[in-house]
Amino acid sequence: MRMRNLVMLGLAVITVGACSSSATAAPAAGKAWNLTLIQGVAGDPFYVTMACGAQAEATKEGVKLNVTGGNKWDATVQKPVIDSVTAAKPDGVMVAPDDSKALLTPLKAMSDAGIKVTFVDTKLDDTSFAVSSISTDNLAGGTLAAKTLAQLINDKGTVLVVNVDPGISTTDARVKGFTDEMKNHPNVKVLDVQYTHDDPTAATTITTSILASNPDLAGVFATNVQNAEGVATGLKQASNTTVKTIAFDAGPKQIEDLNAGIVQGLIAQDPYGIGVAGVQQTVLALNHGTTTATIQTQLAAITKDNVNDPSVQKYLYKASCS
Ligand code: T6T
């Protein structure tokens, strides 16, 4: 079955999700504010691309931007990063918290120190003190992943979900969208969700061991860049050509795996647009403009068939801004 069939689902009309208000947010005249972007983890192509968008918008608006992040997806690693940014007292911060509960205290302290806080990508359960929360419609993306995978496996068989950690707003929503949709596919059995702590090597180990214990495995849903990379490595090492894989994100290695036919579909986000909107909302708040509490950016279903289409190029993540 060719992945053009994604379009036949009527869902993958290239983009899903409400349009962000970023297109209409007029930059108000203001000071040369100092902003900081705290990435969920440094070096991840999703956040590299988000930083490119944030920097482009910061330059456009004449504000300064610092970019920082921990070297691992871990709330205990991110907390001291948050604390040191608060101590440096920038005017505004765009932050992707690694855990929706554990980072409430340091982020509330940041806001209480008078720093405008905007959530980009991930968010806390408590968004009451944030200027804005900007993300993909992750629930819809998870639903789309399930519908697509169900179609690829002819609506029957065992499927595996490889996820980061529980307690992350984005990936939790993706899994919820996926598992809720699979309830409409009674002949598809979803195995217990496996967690990798954002480590591709763990995703490879999990894939290898689940393949050994479930030789009839039909499909995999990998919820982000690192999981997708690790799953693809596991399938390659097992020389498995039968399992169908759908993954969130569109990092450079994921595109290689898509083109090689190891992965059949990618639910790509618009991290560049999230970075742009993050700066816009934070600057609006600093200039006493009207901000938008929740912004959902678009996503795109990418397959081997449409990966070279001009319309999807903005959804492919960058390894660097140049
Ligand atoms: O999928 C993105 C991001 O949306 C998620 O919150 C964490 O993982 C990524 O950064 C990709 O690795």
Side-chain angles (χ1 to χ4, degrees), residues 41 44-47 73 121-122 136 138 164 168 170-171 174 198 223-227 248-249 269 317:
V41 62
D44 177 327
F46 175 87
Y47 292 112
W73 189 284
D121 180 46
T122 53
T136 305
N138 288 291
V164 183
I168 303 169
T170 50
T171 48
R174 292 169 200 170
D198 212 34
T223 63
N224 82 341
V225 170
Q226 288 71 22
N227 290 329
F248 237 82
D249 295 309
Q269 309 184 70
Y317 306 176

Side-chain angles (χ1 to χ4, degrees), residues 82-98:
I82 293 170
D83 290 342
S84 75
V85 170
T86 300
K89 291 197 184 311
D91 300 302
V93 168
M94 292 75 62
V95 57
D98 283 0

Side-chain angles (χ1 to χ4, degrees), residues 200-209 211-212 229-241 253 257 262:
T201 308
T204 300
T205 306
I206 287 166
T207 305
T208 308
S209 100
L211 275 175
E229 291 183 358
V231 166
T233 304
L235 293 174
K236 265 187 268 177
Q237 285 175 356
S239 303
N240 186 298
T241 52
K253 180 167 183 306
D257 291 335
I262 298 156

Side-chain angles (χ1 to χ4, degrees), residues 149-150 153-161 178-179 181-193 210 213-214 216-221:
L149 189 57
I153 63 173
N154 297 320
D155 231 354
K156 58 177 186 301
T158 302
V159 300
L160 166 67
V161 178
F178 184 89
T179 48
E181 171 57 31
M182 281 307 191
K183 290 179 188 148
N184 302 322
H185 303 264
N187 297 323
V188 176
K189 178 182 168 196
V190 182
L191 297 172
D192 289 345
V193 177
I210 296 281
S213 54
N214 295 269
D216 62 337
L217 188 72
V220 180
F221 173 41

